Amino acid sequence: MNKETEKIRRRYDRVSKIYDILEQPMEVMSLKKWRLEVTKDLKGKVLEVGVGTGKNIPYYTDDIDITAIDFSEKMLAKAREKANKLNKKVELIQMDAQNMNFADNTFDMVFTTCVFCSVPDPVKGLKEIRRICKSNGKIIMIEHVRSEQKVIGLVMDIFNPLTVNLYGANINRRTVDNVKNAGFTKVEVTNLTGDIVKKIVIYNEK
Ligand SMILES: C[S@@+](CC[C@H](N)C(=O)[O-])C[C@H]1O[C@@H](n2cnc3c(N)ncnc32)[C@H](O)[C@@H]1O
């Protein structure tokens, strides 16, 4: 891992103890609904990238073959606790999304929730997803991005260094542009909260 990746990984190790508490207001307001929205469509051999403390694990259905990765061992430890408690079968692996240890075309589906705000080199991570997802496979992402509204976007730019330092997450990422820059061509975007939280569905044509 390079220095920048190591720095962000350590931030998530640091925040792992309080992540679920910090995130709870968002969970109640809307995240729970979006987690259900993503997980209900999963089929076949599935990869969750950036599983974190395992907030999506309760919603995994029993008919999928699921692997989940995260580069923070301490976030993963929390995910392991949840999986054990809920008796959910999931292979949890410490791995960097920018350099995944999976063969090309391994997964039918890949999904993320609030991850590409943090991946240090998002285009590199998205290119890796393109590689390890099968041709004609499906990628579903729920991600918060920079608002294109002038004032809100500017406020996000101003506060971004603070959230990166505290947490490891950028609030001003242009994730839809990053998806396109990673080479994906068939991309459907739906706004979930204003223009900030988006559902991005990608059909992996390659
Ligand atoms: C904001 S948290 C979201 C966690 C979870 N997906 C959720 O919905 O609660 C972002 C997660 O992405 C992970 N992450 C960020 N960059 C990563 C990378 N390059 N490789 C693997 N995991 C990464 C972080 O460790 C963290 O657990």
Side-chain angles (χ1 to χ4, degrees), residues 16-140:
S16 61
K17 281 194 204 85
I18 52 164
Y19 180 85
D20 284 1
I21 298 165
L22 282 180
E23 204 241 7
Q24 192 56 24
M26 275 289 287
E27 198 66 28
V28 175
M29 276 190 287
S30 49
L31 262 176
K32 182 178 173 181
K33 190 174 78 197
W34 300 330
R35 295 186 192 289
L36 277 162
E37 162 97 15
V38 178
T39 49
K40 74 175 172 37
D41 289 335
L42 301 175
K43 280 184 192 71
K45 192 166 171 60
V46 179
L47 176 69
E48 178 172 4
V49 173
V51 62
T53 61
K55 300 286 280 186
N56 292 313
I57 290 178
Y59 311 107
Y60 291 173
T61 52
D62 290 335
D63 56 342
I64 52 173
D65 168 5
I66 185 146
T67 304
I69 66 160
D70 203 288
F71 65 179
S72 159
E73 189 51 56
K74 292 197 175 159
M75 294 290 273
L76 270 178
K78 299 274 178 195
R80 275 196 197 98
E81 275 172 29
K82 281 197 190 77
N84 289 338
K85 213 167 167 180
L86 296 166
N87 207 14
K88 291 277 181 184
K89 212 170 146 229
V90 45
E91 191 172 0
L92 291 158
I93 310 173
Q94 185 185 22
M95 199 183 288
D96 180 2
Q98 301 158 120
N99 187 16
M100 288 192 258
N101 196 16
F102 298 118
D104 297 358
N105 308 310
T106 299
F107 296 96
D108 299 301
M109 294 189 76
V110 181
F111 79 101
T112 69
T113 55
C114 307
V115 174
F116 274 85
C117 54
S118 308
V119 176
D121 183 340
V123 174
K124 194 170 178 200
L126 288 160
K127 282 184 176 165
E128 273 293 86
I129 289 181
R130 187 163 148 70
R131 179 184 71 75
I132 56 93
C133 181
K134 289 179 186 168
S135 181
N136 295 319
K138 192 170 169 186
I139 298 141
I140 309 176

